[in-house]
Amino acid sequence: MTTTGAGAARPVGRPRSSQASDAIISATLDLLAEGVTIEALTIEAIASRAGVGKATVYRRWPNKEALVIDAIACLKGATPLLPGRSVREDLVTLLAGMGKANDTPEGRIVLAVLPEIRRNPELSARYAAMVDSRREVIREVFRRGLASGELTPDLDVELALAMLSSPMMSVASMRMFPRVSEERLAERIVDLALAGMRGPAPCE
């Protein structure tokens, strides 16, 4: 669930400086997993759970909103390493990683707090910036495909991005389409989308 695990025994006393950030992130996620709303979440509660002082938290994050977004970013994990052999393979790798990240207890924390994030302008702006930085990886795959001729030169990159990421979220994470099989879902979404994005076939 977290960097230390919900309910795991924590070291007694104040964590060393090198451990403090992980302890604070872990405490934030533990509290969210226990059902504490973002509105009710306080720096005092986080500091107490982490075994640090409030000043230690504020030296690392300017406010609760910044801390919550960093904690959620930790849950999402690192971007998968891309093979780089083709646009299709890279997109399948990215979407499959997205599905795995969301379909976990950690991913369900993100889904649970998203409505709260949307109601808070600062949280919403910070979350959008974090998500957009991750989407830049997909944009780069599209740009490489445009340069290599794998994709049609008039491709609308932002629309293509939405066409790929939204179905993965709605099917694998939100379960909005129960009749859609999740078997090889990332591959099927990519193949269906690429059918309308491919560049002209090379001349024989």
Side-chain angles (χ1 to χ4, degrees):
M1 173 83 62
T2 68
T3 52
T4 59
R10 302 179 186 278
V12 176
R14 193 185 191 90
R16 294 191 303 273
S17 178
S18 60
Q19 299 174 318
S21 294
D22 282 350
I24 294 165
I25 290 288
S26 180
T28 303
L29 294 173
D30 284 349
L31 289 165
L32 291 173
E34 290 167 11
V36 178
T37 65
I38 294 177
E39 184 178 5
L41 189 67
T42 64
I43 294 296
E44 290 83 355
I46 294 168
S48 176
R49 177 68 67 93
V52 302
K54 286 195 300 180
T56 302
V57 179
Y58 282 119
R59 277 196 296 270
R60 290 161 173 78
W61 291 275
N63 53 38
K64 176 178 68 176
E65 287 76 14
L67 172 53
V68 166
I69 294 303
D70 276 0
I72 290 174
C74 287
L75 281 183
K76 286 181 171 290
T79 302
L81 184 65
L82 300 181
R85 290 182 288 263
S86 70
V87 167
R88 179 189 182 277
E89 190 174 7
D90 285 352
L91 291 176
V92 169
T93 299
L94 288 168
L95 259 66
M98 185 188 305
K100 289 177 183 176
N102 287 324
D103 192 23
T104 60
E106 292 88 347
R108 286 188 279 276
I109 292 177
V110 178
L111 293 175
V113 301
L114 273 178
E116 293 186 73
I117 288 174
R118 298 303 184 196
R119 290 194 292 269
N120 182 313
E122 182 174 355
L123 271 173
S124 184
R126 287 181 179 274
Y127 183 80
M130 183 268 289
V131 170
D132 195 65
S133 68
R134 290 170 174 265
R135 288 175 178 164
E136 188 60 25
V137 179
I138 302 180
R139 292 189 185 101
E140 184 55 38
V141 173
F142 285 140
R143 286 192 283 264
R144 179 164 55 79
L146 289 168
S148 67
E150 293 175 76
L151 300 176
T152 180
D154 61 351
L155 178 69
D156 185 329
V157 170
E158 293 305 310
L159 181 57
L161 175 59
M163 288 173 62
L164 285 171
S165 57
S166 297
M168 198 71 195
M169 189 79 163
S170 60
V171 174
S173 303
M174 303 178 74
R175 304 291 195 270
M176 294 177 65
F177 297 92
R179 296 186 183 184
V180 176
S181 169
E182 294 185 34
E183 183 179 358
R184 297 176 52 250
L185 180 61
E187 293 180 50
R188 289 160 49 220
I189 290 174
V190 169
D191 287 341
L192 190 60
L194 284 181
M197 299 181 195
R198 294 194 187 279
C203 297
E204 295 292 340

